[in-house]
């Protein structure tokens, strides 16, 4: 901590009980008043105050400016005082002070730290661009007290709205009311949501995190714990370039990831460039509609995955990979009628339902043969469909460069040198090279 520019506090004991008709003298004792009533004492204190102001002014020359990029908020309900923080809440409409502190940083960015305690949110909080809202672990709780929320872009009544390139981390989010269609956090683009615990409280919200459309690209959601929700992460169309990783979902949550709107059929709105990796959601599912390309679902524990759509969104609907996951449901993976180009490999699963085209399903735990089992990579060959296995007559001799048996008239065994020395080789002779 920096040294105080004024080492000894100023006494601040100038009298405030002057009465009409009293005489001002160099010393108070001369007119039977206290020493502090003297004119010389007054001027001494004025000079001390002026020197103190100068000392504070000079001290700013050694201040780096980093402190101005950070504010601290506490709540008196947890025992914090004004001496501990920049802004002190009192357990009533705490969002007012939090919003005020965040707005103070909106032009320069910075970090707003919430000390441990329960903060009662009766409206909603906007985290400005470039700002971070940080708690002190799960002892810092944002408690939603009302159904009022942010609806600037979508009808999800978000308690917290994250502007572009903002972040929220290291705290717990709870609800004192039940809002089945509301979201706790909504983010636009470039957001970072890390180490957030979503708890039920006395009520519940339907969606933990909502990723919006349009500019909602490049969001990172990591190391979060979800409890008491119907959807952990809800995706609007065009919620692209998102990463959801290392999250834990408790029993009773319906979906780890789910698209939450249905764009007009045939439109180009879709979800793409999405990575869902290393999440533990054994009793939760993933359902993604209107998919585009470059979706990775890897190393998760899930109930099941359903990829579906009502129409073909894009001819580039390919380069999608489901690999290395463990599934709890017997209906492990369902690929809808308009899926195309999905590669499913190395998963611990029961069944895969494939209604799409050109999807490759190989080397999963339900494969029963060394070549990939009855569900082979080739699903249509020589008029056969389904589990296509090699059969006699699949390839002609010409396809593999061989001579049909009916055309072999002679067999001749030669050394390599003898074979190389032949001027003309007969097409009806089968030459065997001796070692």
């Amino acid at each position: 901590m920096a040294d105080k520019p004024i080492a000894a506090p100023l006494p601040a004991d100038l009298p405030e009980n002057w009465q009409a008709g009293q005489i001002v003298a160099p010393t108070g004792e001369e007119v039977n008043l206290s020493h502090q009533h003297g004119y010389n004492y007054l001027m001494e204190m004025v000079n001390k105050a002026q020197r103190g102001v100068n000392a504070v002014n000079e001290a700013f020359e050694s201040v780096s400016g980093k402190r101005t990029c950070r504010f601290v908020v506490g709540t008196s309900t947890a025992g914090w005082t004004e001496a501990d923080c920049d802004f002190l809440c009192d357990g009533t409409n705490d969002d007012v002070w939090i919003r005020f502190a965040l707005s103070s940083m909106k032009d320069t960015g910075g970090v707003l730290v919430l000390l441990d305690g329960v903060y009662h949110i009766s409206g909603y909080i906007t985290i400005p661009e470039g700002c971070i809202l940080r708690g002190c672990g799960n002892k810092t709780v944002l408690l939603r007290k009302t159904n009022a929320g942010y609806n600037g872009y979508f009808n999800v009544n978000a308690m917290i709205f994250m502007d572009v390139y903002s972040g929220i981390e290291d705290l717990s989010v709870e609800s004192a009311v039940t809002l089945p269609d509301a979201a706790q956090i909504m983010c636009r683009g470039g957001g970072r949501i890390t180490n957030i615990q979503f708890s039920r409280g006395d009520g519940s919200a339907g969606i933990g995190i909502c990723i919006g459309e349009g500019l909602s690209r490049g969001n990172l959601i990591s190391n979060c714990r979800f409890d008491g929700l119907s959807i952990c992460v809800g995706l609007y169309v065009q919620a692209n370039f998102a990463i959801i990783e290392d999250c834990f979902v408790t029993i009773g949550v319906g979906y780890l990831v789910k698209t939450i709107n249905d764009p007009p059929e045939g439109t180009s709105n879709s979800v793409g460039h999405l990575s869902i990796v290393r999440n533990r959601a054994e009793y939760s599912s993933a359902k993604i509609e209107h998919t585009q390309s470059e979706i990775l679902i890897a190393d998760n524990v899930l109930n099941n995955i359903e990829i579906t759509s009502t129409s073909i969104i894009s001819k580039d609907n390919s380069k999608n990979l489901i690999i290395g996951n463990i599934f709890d449901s017997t209906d492990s993976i369902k690929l809808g009628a308009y899926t195309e180009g999905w590669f499913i490999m190395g998963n611990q699963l029961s069944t895969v339902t494939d209604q799409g085209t050109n999807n490759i399903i190989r080397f999963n735990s339900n494969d029963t043969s060394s070549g990939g089992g009855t569900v082979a990579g080739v699903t249509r060959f020589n008029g056969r469909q389904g589990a296509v296995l090699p059969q006699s007559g699949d390839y002609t001799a010409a396809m593999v460069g061989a001579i049909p048996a009916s055309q072999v008239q002679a067999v001749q065994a030669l050394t390599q040198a003898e074979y190389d020395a032949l001027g003309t080789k007969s097409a009806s002779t089968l030459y065997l090279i001796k070692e």
Side-chain angles (χ1 to χ4, degrees):
M1 181 178 293
D3 294 335
K4 296 180 179 180
I6 305 175
L10 299 177
D13 60 350
L14 292 174
E16 299 178 359
N17 60 344
W18 286 94
Q19 298 179 13
Q22 285 183 329
I23 300 173
V24 177
T27 65
E29 292 84 352
E30 295 178 43
V31 289
N32 297 320
L33 296 174
S34 69
H35 179 70
Q36 285 80 2
H37 283 79
Y39 180 79
N40 290 338
Y41 183 81
L42 171 63
M43 292 300 100
E44 180 186 354
M45 294 300 105
V46 170
N47 288 332
K48 282 189 176 182
Q50 290 179 337
R51 287 193 293 270
V53 171
N54 291 334
V56 172
N57 187 49
E58 292 172 0
F60 270 101
E61 294 181 359
S62 62
V63 176
S64 66
K66 293 181 180 179
R67 180 65 177 86
T68 61
C69 297
R70 175 181 173 185
F71 289 108
V72 177
V73 175
T75 174
S76 60
T77 60
W80 299 108
T81 67
E82 292 182 353
D84 301 316
C85 49
D86 299 294
F87 304 95
L88 184 64
C89 301
D90 60 4
T92 304
N93 300 327
D94 295 334
D95 48 293
V96 174
W97 282 114
I98 297 174
R99 280 199 304 270
F100 181 77
L102 287 168
S103 65
S104 301
M105 302 187 301
K106 67 179 181 180
D107 294 328
T108 58
V111 179
L112 176 63
V113 177
L114 298 178
L115 300 176
D116 61 89
V118 179
Y119 296 84
H120 294 249
I121 310 302
S122 299
Y124 66 86
I125 298 169
T126 297
I127 305 177
E129 178 179 350
C131 295
I132 297 174
L133 181 63
R134 177 183 298 159
C136 297
N138 62 1
K139 297 300 183 181
T140 299
V141 180
L142 295 179
L143 180 63
R144 184 172 193 161
K145 300 287 289 186
T146 178
N147 59 0
Y150 183 84
N151 273 324
Y153 290 88
F154 311 98
N155 189 30
V156 292
N157 285 312
M159 179 178 68
I160 301 168
F161 173 71
M162 298 174 56
D163 208 340
V164 292
Y165 307 114
S166 62
I168 182 171
E169 57 191 40
D170 299 330
L171 53 82
S172 180
V173 175
E174 297 183 6
S175 181
V177 292
T178 299
L179 303 168
D181 297 323
Q184 296 288 58
I185 299 175
M186 173 165 184
C187 57
R188 294 182 68 193
R192 188 175 75 240
I193 303 173
T194 58
N195 298 327
I196 305 297
Q197 178 172 315
F198 294 84
S199 302
R200 180 182 295 275
D202 295 330
S204 65
I207 305 169
I209 301 169
C210 172
I211 301 180
E213 62 181 346
L215 295 176
S216 296
R217 301 185 176 192
N219 292 290
L220 171 63
I221 300 169
S222 66
N223 295 100
C224 295
R225 178 186 174 96
F226 297 93
D227 185 12
L229 301 166
S230 57
I231 301 173
C232 299
V233 181
L235 302 173
Y236 271 84
V237 293
Q238 296 182 353
N240 298 326
F241 301 97
I243 299 176
I244 304 169
E245 64 178 9
D246 296 319
C247 295
F248 179 79
V249 181
T250 61
I251 298 175
V253 176
Y255 291 96
L256 167 64
V257 179
K258 187 179 186 297
T259 50
I260 58 176
N261 69 324
D262 190 8
E265 186 171 326
T267 64
S268 60
N269 293 330
S270 54
V271 174
H273 304 277
L274 171 67
S275 296
I276 306 173
V277 295
R278 297 190 304 273
N279 299 285
R280 294 298 176 262
E282 182 176 357
Y283 301 97
S284 189
S285 303
K287 183 175 183 180
I288 306 175
E289 300 174 299
H290 307 282
T291 57
Q292 199 178 7
S293 61
E294 298 183 28
I295 293 179
L296 170 66
I297 305 176
D299 192 22
N300 301 283
V301 178
L302 291 166
N303 188 43
N304 69 295
I305 294 175
E306 184 175 0
I307 310 296
T308 182
S309 182
T310 57
S311 61
I312 297 176
I313 299 299
S314 170
K315 292 182 179 179
D316 296 326
N317 186 17
S318 60
K319 297 180 288 185
N320 299 305
L321 179 62
I322 300 176
I323 183 171
N325 300 282
I326 300 174
F327 294 94
D328 185 60
S329 173
T330 55
D331 297 325
S332 303
I333 299 177
K334 298 179 181 179
L335 300 177
Y338 296 101
T339 58
E340 180 178 356
W342 283 80
F343 187 17
I344 301 175
M345 175 180 175
N347 298 282
Q348 181 75 31
L349 49 72
S350 295
T351 60
V352 178
T353 301
D354 182 10
Q355 299 176 338
T357 57
N358 299 322
N359 295 313
I360 300 174
I361 306 170
R362 296 294 303 274
F363 307 119
N364 297 287
S365 64
N366 65 339
D367 294 345
T368 57
S369 68
S370 59
T374 57
V375 183
V378 179
T379 57
R380 293 176 179 83
F381 186 75
N382 277 0
R384 305 195 303 277
Q385 297 183 7
V388 178
L389 299 176
Q391 292 184 7
S392 176
D394 280 345
Y395 300 97
T396 65
M399 290 179 181
V400 296
I403 301 174
S406 60
Q407 298 180 11
V408 176
Q409 299 179 3
V411 178
Q412 187 173 358
L414 302 172
T415 64
Q416 185 65 52
E418 291 172 336
Y419 178 79
D420 293 339
L422 290 176
T424 303
K425 299 178 177 64
S426 173
S428 61
T429 300
L430 176 63
Y431 298 97
L432 300 178
I433 305 301
K434 298 185 296 183
E435 295 188 5

